Amino acid sequence: MNKIRTRYAPSPTGKMHVGNLRSALYEFLIAKHEGGDFMLRIEDTDQERFVEGATEIIYRTLEQAGLRHDEGPDRDGGYGPYVQSERMKTGIYMKYAKELIEKGEAYYCFCDRERLASLKTEVMDGKEISVYDKHCLSLSGEEVAANLAAGKPYVIRQNIPNEGTTTFHDELYGDITVENSELDDMILIKSDGYPTYNFANVVDDHTMNITHVVRGNEYLSSSPKYVRLYDAFGWQVPVYIHLPLITDENHKKLSKRSGHASFEDLMEQGFLKEAVINYVALLGWSPEDNQEIFSLEELIEKFDYHRISKSPAVFDIVKLRWMNGEYLKAMDFDVFYEMAKPWLERALPHGLDLRRIAEMVKTRIEVFPDIGGQVDFFGKLPEYDVSMYTHKKMKTTGETSLEVLKDVLPLLEAQEDFGNDALYRTLLQYGEEKGYKTGFVMWPIRTAVSGKQMTPAGATEIMEVLGKEEALRRIRAGIEKLQAA
Ligand code: GLU
């Protein structure tokens, strides 16, 4: 069998959305799983949709995501140019369009805007398109030549018969047969001389030796027309794999409005690229077992495209957050610390033991931006309500808390070793002497030193990080608060 060659063929129209990222990832995985080549082709023939800088975003995103292309505009593999506008300059699309005209599979169309506007329209894929009536197919060779000589603007259209059917095969959907009468004579070459996406993708995929075409299932309805082009040229049709829709939590098509739909946005929101790739891999694909955490290498090894699902995949940010948290938990501490440091520095004043605090939060956060909310109390005691001292399970009330805090204050003042272990021993001993349970003693202390219901560490660890002076100041403040209540 020939070496597998896949391509990611983005149009440079902005950020790389999750759907695009998934296409790129699956194409990368399908190629790498079989030791094949993954190619990047920039589809910039739709000049109206072109966005300045978007090509750079594509390079950057692929690089960051670890989806290294073997060939592309910046990496010649002998199939270039890899940018469609440059391919156009070689005359390739026009050459093949003319070949189709000779074969009777395409024709010049000189109809102007007014005439096209008068044609009946049909709704296809939610878009209103006019159904071309083959008017120009009946022009004689002389008429066409005269129009061309007169410089009349034209497009080239695919000639699809009104009778019969067209069948194509998709690896996931199986054989799909459509009535030819439902297929419009789509434009192959536009009046500006550029090829349409519909034509360029066929010419390029063939001439670039692409074996597997992976794309969103919004292209399913156009595929019969592509297959007709391959057949007309006598080319081998590539393996088609159409991917399921990705929806948001409300089962609506994932849109830019969802806010977290692009790779860049997710990076800005503090997600790890490994977690994003892992998560995106599961948007429509699942392994044989229940494994959920995959490195890119593991994905390459396990990715069998036959297991891609046809059902829509839901982009669930809660699940992604969970997954990101799993990556953080598993991360080497030094690596974690380096990444967490800027977030800790942003949330905390100087002088605190950031490494120690990083240890506390490593298993408690899902994404780095969670750090602020977890640790800010170390920097500044938040305003808290006195009712926080009352805890049913610990059996504490405002009164018992006041008593405990008043008792332990002199013990802590006398405490020389303010390390976690020593503090713990002191408080444990106090509890034993009084016949109090540990929680009964620790709850009021932790409340006083943190002002929070939930903290990433216990009372004594927090005190150690705060240092004696600050810890005692907070306990005294707690006593005052309870006395005033
Ligand atoms: N340029 C198309 C897009 O960005 C590519 C679709 C395909 O993979 O063929 O949607």
Side-chain angles (χ1 to χ4, degrees):
M1 203 179 111
N2 289 340
K3 195 176 192 187
I4 285 195
R5 284 173 60 82
T6 61
R7 89 295 193 277
Y8 174 50
S11 305
T13 55
K15 293 180 181 174
M16 200 155 149
H17 286 268
V18 166
N20 300 329
L21 182 62
R22 182 188 59 176
S23 297
L25 175 62
Y26 283 16
E27 275 152 321
F28 172 84
L29 294 174
I30 289 171
K32 296 298 144 190
H33 183 69
E34 303 275 348
D37 286 336
F38 170 60
M39 181 188 99
L40 173 65
R41 179 173 75 225
I42 302 293
E43 305 207 319
D44 62 345
T45 52
D46 194 346
Q47 297 289 304
E48 277 163 34
R49 287 174 67 223
F50 184 80
V51 173
E52 204 56 46
T55 312
E56 287 66 38
I57 296 180
I58 293 166
Y59 286 130
R60 196 167 61 229
T61 306
L62 288 179
E63 165 107 35
Q64 274 186 325
L67 308 181
R68 191 180 197 281
H69 49 284
D70 301 287
E71 286 171 38
D74 54 342
R75 231 164 264 159
D76 189 18
Y79 288 93
Y82 292 87
V83 179
Q84 277 181 339
S85 57
E86 287 171 27
R87 295 177 74 72
M88 191 191 106
K89 289 185 200 138
T90 68
I92 184 174
Y93 305 114
M94 196 52 109
K95 177 186 121 189
Y96 282 117
K98 285 188 176 156
E99 193 178 318
L100 288 177
I101 293 176
E102 271 158 35
K103 290 176 192 273
E105 297 284 343
Y107 59 94
Y108 289 102
C109 170
F110 300 93
C111 289
D112 57 20
R113 227 176 264 267
E114 286 74 53
R115 178 158 200 285
L116 293 176
S118 72
L119 295 172
K120 91 174 176 356
T121 58
E122 234 174 48
V123 176
M124 255 184 85
D125 295 333
K127 273 182 279 181
E128 207 169 79
I129 59 151
S130 68
V131 184
Y132 189 63
D133 60 357
K134 288 184 180 288
H135 174 79
C136 288
L137 183 60
S138 55
L139 294 179
S140 68
E142 291 75 40
E143 281 170 307
V144 169
N147 281 343
L148 290 176
K152 235 181 158 185
Y154 66 85
V155 298
I156 297 178
R157 290 183 184 273
Q158 183 177 16
N159 180 20
I160 297 179
N162 284 328
E163 288 83 41
T165 59
T166 300
T167 298
F168 79 102
H169 182 78
D170 175 274
E171 284 297 294
L172 309 173
Y173 292 81
D175 283 340
I176 297 183
T177 300
V178 296
E179 295 290 330
N180 289 338
S181 56
E182 286 171 17
L183 305 174
D184 63 312
D185 280 3
M186 67 176 181
I187 296 176
L188 306 177
I189 302 284
K190 295 181 276 189
S191 55
D192 60 6
Y194 274 90
T196 54
Y197 161 75
N198 288 325
F199 186 46
N201 87 87
V202 170
V203 170
D204 289 343
D205 285 338
H206 170 74
T207 53
M208 298 171 112
N209 241 341
I210 296 304
T211 60
H212 292 61
V213 170
V214 183
R215 57 187 163 212
N217 65 10
E218 66 268 27
Y219 288 99
L220 258 184
S221 59
S222 303
S223 293
K225 294 184 273 193
Y226 304 155
V227 167
R228 291 193 66 87
L229 291 175
Y230 281 98
D231 288 346
F233 284 118
W235 294 342
Q236 190 184 346
V237 181
V239 174
Y240 278 124
I241 300 165
H242 286 89
L243 305 178
L245 188 72
I246 303 179
T247 72
D248 62 15
E249 292 91 334
N250 303 319
H251 303 282
K252 299 244 164 55
K253 190 170 190 265
L254 196 65
S255 73
K256 294 181 190 175
R257 272 184 314 253
S258 333
H260 43 59
S262 87
F263 184 80
E264 287 208 321
D265 295 337
L266 293 170
M267 291 300 106
E268 269 167 35
Q269 288 166 31
F271 287 96
L272 296 168
K273 56 181 198 282
E274 294 84 357
V276 170
I277 288 294
N278 188 157
Y279 182 68
V280 168
L282 299 176
L283 286 176
W285 174 83
S286 57
E288 245 167 304
D289 50 18
N290 292 327
Q291 184 175 348
E292 284 193 295
I293 306 292
F294 294 90
S295 65
L296 192 57
E297 289 67 36
E298 279 177 294
L299 284 171
I300 290 174
E301 189 194 316
K302 306 239 165 106
F303 198 86
D304 172 2
Y305 69 72
H306 297 97
R307 296 192 55 83
I308 296 173
S309 160
K310 280 184 290 195
S311 334
V314 181
F315 182 85
D316 178 358
I317 196 85
V318 176
K319 178 93 194 268
L320 173 57
R321 283 181 59 93
W322 166 81
M323 189 169 275
N324 202 75
E326 293 302 301
Y327 271 80
L328 292 179
K329 279 184 203 149
M331 198 181 252
D332 172 74
F333 180 72
D334 287 330
V335 177
F336 174 81
Y337 180 58
E338 279 312 308
M339 294 181 86
K341 214 162 137 193
W343 298 91
L344 289 164
E345 282 168 349
R346 209 170 305 161
L348 295 169
H350 286 305
L352 288 163
D353 184 348
L354 297 187
R355 257 190 100 82
R356 188 72 202 280
I357 298 175
E359 273 165 14
M360 293 175 178
V361 296
K362 185 165 184 280
T363 57
R364 289 168 194 268
I365 57 168
E366 289 183 320
V367 287
F368 286 117
D370 291 349
I371 285 182
Q374 290 260 347
V375 306
D376 50 2
F377 73 89
F378 280 113
K380 188 171 180 292
L381 182 68
E383 289 294 333
Y384 66 96
D385 197 84
V386 75
S387 64
M388 222 187 263
Y389 283 102
T390 305
H391 194 289
K392 225 169 155 193
K393 213 173 125 224
M394 305 294 180
K395 298 201 168 58
T396 63
T397 63
E399 274 155 41
T400 70
S401 297
L402 179 59
E403 191 194 315
V404 167
L405 291 184
K406 275 162 69 182
D407 280 353
V408 300
L409 181 61
L411 300 178
L412 295 173
E413 280 168 341
Q415 181 86 13
E416 272 176 26
D417 179 353
F418 222 71
N420 174 40
D421 293 344
L423 286 168
Y424 197 78
R425 272 196 304 276
T426 302
L427 295 174
L428 207 63
Q429 199 189 342
Y430 160 75
E432 272 164 18
E433 278 164 17
K434 288 281 195 174
Y436 294 157
K437 289 220 165 102
T438 316
F440 186 84
V441 177
M442 297 297 183
W443 182 263
I445 302 176
R446 192 169 65 99
T447 304
V449 295
S450 71
K452 291 193 114 177
Q453 208 102 29
M454 308 247 269
T455 55
T460 53
E461 285 172 278
I462 294 171
M463 283 198 281
E464 179 183 354
V465 170
L466 288 174
K468 188 167 179 179
E469 196 187 322
E470 177 63 12
L472 293 181
R473 192 188 70 76
R474 291 185 182 194
I475 289 176
R476 288 191 200 103
I479 291 173
E480 272 169 38
K481 194 187 261 281
L482 284 162
Q483 278 171 337

